[in-house]
Amino acid sequence: MDELRPSDPSHIGGHRLLGRLGAGGMGVVYLGRTEAGALAAIKVILPEYAGDDDFRTRFRREVAAARSVHSPWAVPVTGAETEGERPWLATAFVPGPALSDAVARRGPLPARSVKVLGRLLSRALTAVHEAGLVHRDVKPGNVLLTADGPRLIDFGIARAADATALTTTDLVVGTPGFLSPEQATGGGTTAGPASDVFSLGCLLAYAATGRPPFGSGAVDALLYRTVHDRPDLGGIDDAELRTLLTACLAKDPGERPTAAQLDARIAEDVPGGSVEWLPEDVVRLIADRSAAMLALPDIDATVAEEPVAPARPDRRRFLLLTSVAAVGLAGTAYAAVQVAGEDTEDAPKRGGSGERDWIIGVHADLTGPQAAWGKAQERGVRLAVERFNSRGNKPFTLIVKALDDRGDAARSARVAELFARDPDVLAVIGPTGDAATGAALPAYDEAMLAVLTVSSLAMAYAPRSKKSFFQAAPSWGALSAPIVNRLLLRPDVERLGVLMDRSGGQSAYQVGYATNLMTPTLTTGTTYPRVVPAGTRDLAPVIEDMVAHRSDAIFYAGDAAGAARTAVALAGTSFKGPCIAQHTVMEPDFLAAAGAAATGWEFISPYTDASAPAAKEFTAAHRARFGAEPAPWAAEAYDVAGLVAQALVALARGGKATGKPTGKPDGTEGPEGTEGKQASGKPEEAEGKKASGSTGASPEARRPVRPGRAAVVAEIAASPYEGISRTYAFDKRQALVGQDAHLYRVENGRYRYLGAAPKPTT
């Protein structure tokens, strides 16, 4: 979702507009919220088309068509205005991904999923056809996926089956690749219900194979194949599914089954509220999209809420939360250069050789509300760069440039512009918080400058500002999985009480919502959720209610003060089960306010601890350099600086990083793949000259290849890295693969690190 533009209205038809879902040549689709809190997708026609009589007639027809279809598998109309100055149409908002998006990201669906999809969409089309309409644009982009079934959307070109089109008869109406032969030949006026069945067959073939059944490419060639060629159903081994698709894709409309007949021919059971009809990775995508809608403005509660728990699946089911166990290459070190943390473009004098500098930027909150985290990250980066620079055969010297955004979003945008305009900066680590990160992304995106955050955990950022962005940490929503695993993968817990305290802000609410959503998806357990408004002081009645409803465990999503009140309230009841909260509650204030009631409370955290075995050598180096134990996020920043150094080394030497980090902070042992080898294992060469580490090599042979910024982004995306906290690997969206997290517990009035958070087993 994009932010509203200055020219956009703030309200329309009783909806407060929250953002842009999309835009086309004829209008804009907004996400809106009614006064009652319901979300809606609102299509608003542009003024230049609102005055066109023919266009307004078509829009009236779209509204009438959408209103006449009544099916649980079609998105309903919630409001419309066809006669005003700015005509608009509102439908219920479905946060799930489009089928096209799910297949593109997760690959083809299994045969059972495709058959369930076909049965439910055939029911949606039956309702369309019974209303006397033809949809005429059944395609993967017009089908949204939810856990309990698909939803058919967009009746923009639907029309009555016996109506005369408002367009010329030779116009192709629909989407090439998913339209019928009668549509492909320009017979828009004669395309009847059978045309929708053909399009449904194309859609299901795409879902089963990941490709349209008549290929892609030039439109004319695609339309010709649709009319004359047999569909490509290769890779579909399920005999029943192949038979169904063959019938739907018959060239003669009279040979195709009706939508109602297709429903009757598919024997696959419908979901009935269960997620069992979809593969687990698609369920995860749906959950992420559903949770992402919480990252919206104006969502604070005003009264106590009791969300309805999601439907419980009929068997125990776990989503496998795997990480990529790939070997990385260390190339890490600590820097010897301090750069002023003011937003000025004045850089220190970095030598007089005339060579370009190789700079890693640190974009952090160094003096604001998250200064402790920002300073820890700066120290982690500097420690990594110093380790790298201590190596005798390094291909270049790294420099750290740190700028302070003070935790302010506007200042963060300015800092990003400064880094983007410095041509010697090859990558940036930061920013520290969610708001600062969101404000900075457009500048980094425009400059194609790699930016990696380890502590901004938002579930959604502006979609057009992420080309060079890496969220090198699990999101707030992803942290729900280890919470559920810790509390419900035990025999004594069947119902999880989820207390969402709005005092914790959006981040806490997102974790709470996602935990409530994912519990019945990941396990056979159930939830009892409660939401309390920000500022609620007396939590005892809420706690008593949760205990009375047989909550075996409690997850608190809020702030440290609310967690302390929750702990004290629980201590006054008979409750003896486990309690857990997110890492933001782990403050001295919680221990002081909760007192003895804090004992035994556990916390899921995305960052590791100085006492972790994997961090032993890093902790010793940090203690020696700074005279203190590393604070939260220092190790993660150290890791990500190593990841950046790995990418730069690989590009500088014209090879591919494939080594594994040594873990030695003094840098005495170089990792294989960076110190004398390329990815192929062959000796390094530079345009036919001796390797840079060989005796007698010329200065030209030793000079590294300076990469462009886009190449750095691509190398980071393609090269996993094994760090102290986790293995860093990114998917096609440059999102972190895996949800590795860490576990802490209050013991003897202190926070004790327990190790890696548990993961499910099959």
Side-chain angles (χ1 to χ4, degrees):
M1 182 179 73
D2 291 337
E3 294 181 356
L4 293 174
R5 299 177 182 176
S7 59
D8 288 328
S10 60
H11 292 79
I12 195 163
H15 302 83
R16 180 194 172 185
L17 302 187
L18 305 178
R20 284 176 165 232
L21 295 174
M26 304 296 181
V28 180
V29 181
Y30 298 100
L31 177 62
R33 184 186 298 281
T34 67
E35 292 182 358
L39 293 174
I42 307 164
K43 178 189 291 187
V44 181
I45 304 304
L46 295 176
E48 54 265 38
Y49 293 100
D52 184 298
D53 290 339
D54 286 344
F55 187 91
R56 191 179 283 268
T57 298
R58 286 194 293 271
F59 185 72
R60 291 192 194 101
R61 188 181 62 192
E62 176 185 355
V63 173
R67 278 180 160 164
S68 65
V69 176
H70 303 286
S71 169
W73 314 116
V75 176
V77 173
T78 59
E81 171 56 66
T82 62
E83 307 305 324
E85 181 178 347
R86 295 288 301 273
W88 56 271
L89 167 66
T91 60
F93 176 67
V94 179
L99 174 63
S100 54
D101 191 20
V103 172
R105 295 181 184 279
R106 301 295 190 252
L109 301 180
R112 177 174 181 257
S113 298
V114 176
K115 286 187 280 188
V116 171
L117 184 69
R119 188 168 198 186
L120 298 182
L121 290 178
S122 68
R123 293 181 179 180
L125 287 178
T126 297
V128 171
H129 299 161
E130 287 178 348
L133 300 171
V134 182
H135 188 283
R136 300 202 301 170
D137 201 17
V138 178
K139 61 181 180 181
N142 279 342
V143 172
L144 302 179
L145 298 179
T146 71
D148 66 346
R151 300 293 189 275
L152 182 65
I153 65 171
D154 200 347
F155 290 81
I157 60 174
R159 67 174 180 84
D162 58 352
T164 300
L166 293 175
T167 55
T168 58
T169 57
D170 60 351
L171 178 66
V172 174
V173 179
T175 302
F178 298 95
L179 42 66
S180 65
E182 51 267 40
Q183 288 175 293
T185 54
T189 58
T190 60
S195 178
D196 284 344
V197 173
F198 188 97
S199 297
L200 178 60
C202 293
L203 178 149
L204 297 177
Y206 169 85
T209 65
R211 62 184 186 276
F214 298 101
S216 57
V219 172
D220 288 346
L222 181 54
L223 297 179
Y224 180 89
R225 291 193 296 269
T226 300
V227 175
H228 299 285
D229 291 356
R230 298 178 60 183
D232 176 12
L233 301 180
I236 301 177
D237 298 324
D238 186 283
E240 180 187 0
L241 181 57
R242 285 184 68 94
T243 299
L244 289 169
L245 295 181
T246 300
C248 291
L249 296 174
K251 304 296 185 187
D252 185 350
E255 295 179 4
R256 302 170 201 153
T258 65
Q261 290 169 343
L262 186 61
D263 175 16
R265 288 177 60 173
I266 300 176
E268 202 63 44
D269 291 336
V270 297
S274 168
V275 297
E276 294 293 317
W277 74 286
L278 284 171
E280 288 151 338
D281 51 355
V282 176
V283 173
R284 170 67 68 187
L285 179 61
I286 292 171
D288 288 346
R289 295 292 176 84
S290 298
M293 77 175 184
L294 294 171
L296 300 172
D298 193 32
I299 196 171
D300 287 339
T302 55
V303 294
E305 307 165 32
E306 296 186 21
V308 178
R312 176 176 176 174
D314 50 13
R315 66 180 178 86
R316 192 170 187 88
R317 183 182 187 195
F318 300 110
L319 297 178
L320 301 179
L321 309 178
T322 59
S323 61
V324 178
V327 269
L329 171 60
T332 51
Y334 166 75
V337 178
Q338 173 86 26
V339 177
E342 298 295 322
D343 46 17
T344 170
E345 294 186 80
D346 296 334
K349 302 300 181 183
R350 300 189 284 252
S353 65
E355 294 289 331
R356 297 272 304 275
D357 291 316
W358 297 59
I359 299 177
I360 294 179
V362 176
H363 180 162
D365 177 359
L366 301 176
T367 57
Q370 293 182 307
W373 288 359
K375 290 177 181 176
Q377 291 175 34
E378 182 190 7
R379 285 185 170 186
V381 173
R382 292 189 180 281
L383 196 59
V385 172
E386 183 182 66
R387 179 171 179 259
F388 177 85
N389 287 341
S390 67
R391 292 178 175 151
N393 58 347
K394 60 185 179 296
F396 48 79
T397 297
L398 283 173
I399 293 172
V400 173
K401 178 179 180 178
L403 295 179
D404 180 13
D405 66 19
R406 302 176 187 171
D408 178 75
R411 187 178 176 89
S412 177
R414 171 66 175 158
V415 166
E417 291 174 359
L418 294 175
F419 275 131
R421 289 203 298 265
D422 186 341
D424 291 337
V425 176
L426 294 172
V428 174
I429 297 171
T432 311
D434 291 349
T437 300
L441 290 183
Y444 289 127
D445 178 66
E446 183 176 354
M448 200 58 184
L449 176 58
V451 55
L452 305 92
T453 181
V454 299
S455 57
S456 175
L457 312 183
M459 293 190 292
Y461 300 91
R464 296 181 183 176
S465 301
K466 298 197 298 183
K467 289 189 299 185
S468 62
F469 173 59
F470 297 86
Q471 189 179 32
S475 70
W476 296 113
L479 288 174
S480 66
I483 291 170
V484 172
N485 295 335
R486 177 64 176 173
L487 291 177
L488 286 155
L489 298 187
R490 52 207 302 169
D492 57 334
V493 175
E494 284 296 330
R495 172 170 288 188
L496 172 61
V498 180
L499 177 53
M500 290 171 267
D501 185 344
R502 300 313 299 270
S503 297
Q506 281 290 80
S507 59
Y509 191 71
Q510 288 173 16
V511 179
Y513 180 91
T515 300
N516 182 59
L517 178 72
M518 296 310 298
T519 294
T521 301
L522 295 172
T523 75
T524 55
T526 59
T527 62
Y528 184 70
R530 289 294 305 269
V531 181
V532 296
T536 302
R537 302 290 301 177
D538 185 8
L539 293 176
V542 178
I543 295 301
E544 291 172 359
D545 177 66
M546 297 178 79
V547 173
H549 282 81
R550 303 187 306 281
S551 296
D552 304 315
I554 297 294
F555 170 57
Y556 173 82
D559 61 4
R565 288 193 289 270
T566 299
V568 172
L570 278 169
T573 69
S574 61
F575 180 83
K576 302 299 180 184
C579 301
I580 203 164
Q582 74 268 34
H583 64 284
T584 52
V585 169
M586 282 199 302
E587 298 179 0
D589 290 349
F590 170 72
L591 297 178
T599 301
W601 270 62
E602 294 183 346
F603 306 88
I604 292 293
S605 167
Y607 54 75
T608 189
D609 188 73
S611 64
K616 180 179 179 181
E617 295 183 9
F618 162 74
T619 299
H622 191 283
R623 190 184 300 117
R625 179 61 184 84
F626 299 110
E629 298 289 301
W633 303 113
E636 286 70 25
Y638 177 89
D639 282 345
V640 172
L643 168 62
V644 170
Q646 165 186 284
L648 295 178
V649 168
L651 293 168
R653 290 178 167 168
K656 186 78 172 175
T658 59
K660 185 175 183 179
T662 65
K664 293 193 174 185
D666 60 2
T668 55
E669 178 182 343
E672 180 182 353
T674 57
E675 302 302 330
K677 297 183 180 180
Q678 291 183 349
S680 63
K682 297 179 181 179
E684 285 182 277
E685 297 179 359
E687 298 179 358
K689 299 175 182 177
K690 291 183 180 181
S692 61
S694 302
T695 303
S698 67
E700 290 80 6
R702 292 193 297 270
R703 183 175 297 132
V705 178
R706 183 181 177 85
R709 286 175 169 179
V712 176
V713 171
E715 184 67 24
I716 291 173
S719 302
Y721 180 81
E722 188 176 340
I724 296 169
S725 177
R726 59 174 50 83
T727 295
Y728 291 84
F730 301 96
D731 62 18
K732 293 180 180 179
R733 297 174 297 156
Q734 297 175 187
L736 186 69
V737 175
Q739 287 84 27
D740 299 80
H742 301 271
L743 186 64
Y744 294 77
R745 179 189 296 149
V746 176
E747 295 180 0
N748 300 318
R750 301 179 62 184
Y751 297 111
R752 175 174 171 260
Y753 178 65
L754 300 182
K759 296 182 179 180
T761 57
T762 54

